[in-house]
Amino acid sequence: MKLNHLFILFGLIAFYSCEKKDGATPGNPIVQEPVTNVYFPMNIGNYWVYEFQTKDPSGNIVGNISFDTLKIVSDTIIADETYFVFTTNKPFNNSRETLRDSLGYIINEDGIIKLLPSANEAIYNFHYGYIAGDTAYAYWEEFHDDIYIQSPTGEYTCLGRFAKHQIWPEFGSNTSVDSNLYAGIGQVTRSYSYFSGSKMYGTLIDYNLED
């Protein structure tokens, strides 16, 4: 009988020893680190400077080289959440976008996902039918990793984001908005295509990241 009691005692000691290893006690709860998107650093004052070239459907450079700065100019509170305000002149002058990091997902003020935390979620699809006044019949995004990019600021293995628009036939060919992002820096390349088939390519030539 005493032997059985010893076995029970040793069993209880082993059980509580295993339970204690995770470090969770009523007075010492486990706190998980918040997930942030390492590909899209967001602080006021961050900026990225790009050199842009426009290429026709055959890959020939057309027009002049231009430059653009993507910058975080301020933040703002929307529905009790802090968003960062981005400004740029590409693809349109005085463009603004308001974004925040939601557990690693970069979303805009409408709740639309603009960037995933990684390429582990390979394809994010969104499809809609044609309506009057709308040029896009379908829209989807693809994410791929291990994309090699060389720019004046260095060589990078990037996460690629490819946003595709399938245009209603009467409006011409497909268009796409592509970017390649490197952890801790941001967008190393940006590109935008036009209904004409030409595409504008931007390559990172300088950047500044605030602490």
Side-chain angles (χ1 to χ4, degrees):
M1 196 70 173
K2 290 182 179 179
L3 186 61
N4 289 338
H5 288 164
L6 286 174
F7 278 125
I8 293 171
L9 177 61
F10 285 132
L12 289 173
I13 291 172
F15 173 77
Y16 282 110
S17 295
C18 291
E19 287 294 299
K20 192 175 181 179
K21 286 181 180 177
D22 64 5
T25 64
N28 183 32
I30 293 178
V31 178
Q32 294 184 343
E33 291 295 322
V35 177
T36 56
N37 194 302
V38 297
Y39 294 98
F40 219 85
M42 290 193 288
N43 285 302
I44 297 173
N46 286 4
Y47 66 79
W48 300 263
V49 182
Y50 301 88
E51 178 182 289
F52 277 88
Q53 295 179 336
T54 301
K55 298 181 179 180
D56 65 19
S58 299
N60 301 312
I61 297 175
V62 296
N64 298 321
I65 292 174
S66 61
F67 299 90
D68 180 61
T69 299
L70 175 67
K71 187 173 184 178
I72 302 178
V73 295
S74 63
D75 60 14
T76 186
I77 304 297
I78 301 174
D80 296 325
E81 299 286 355
T82 300
Y83 289 78
F84 291 90
V85 180
F86 290 73
T87 62
T88 179
N89 287 316
K90 300 290 185 182
F92 308 108
N93 287 334
N94 302 316
S95 297
R96 296 171 66 89
E97 190 164 30
T98 307
L99 304 171
R100 74 177 177 94
D101 190 322
S102 176
L103 298 176
Y105 293 83
I106 303 301
I107 63 175
N108 66 12
E109 61 186 277
D110 296 319
I112 296 174
I113 297 173
K114 307 296 288 187
L115 184 65
L116 299 176
S118 71
N120 293 333
E121 301 177 58
I123 299 176
Y124 166 70
N125 286 314
F126 176 59
H127 177 275
Y128 53 91
Y130 170 75
I131 58 175
D134 195 356
T135 58
Y137 173 71
Y139 170 86
W140 69 96
E141 296 182 18
E142 300 174 1
F143 295 85
H144 305 279
D145 55 10
D146 296 330
I147 297 176
Y148 175 76
I149 298 292
Q150 186 173 14
S151 85
T153 58
E155 299 179 2
Y156 308 97
T157 301
C158 296
L159 168 69
R161 170 183 175 267
F162 305 93
K164 311 288 186 179
H165 288 81
Q166 178 182 341
I167 308 304
W168 197 256
E170 64 188 83
F171 294 105
S173 60
N174 294 353
T175 66
S176 63
V177 177
D178 309 334
S179 58
N180 291 292
L181 303 100
Y182 185 74
I185 292 180
Q187 296 181 88
V188 177
T189 66
R190 300 160 57 198
S191 66
Y192 310 93
S193 60
Y194 299 98
F195 294 147
S196 64
S198 296
K199 194 163 190 175
M200 183 168 50
Y201 295 87
T203 302
L204 185 68
I205 60 172
D206 191 20
Y207 65 92
N208 174 72
L209 301 176
E210 300 291 335
D211 294 330

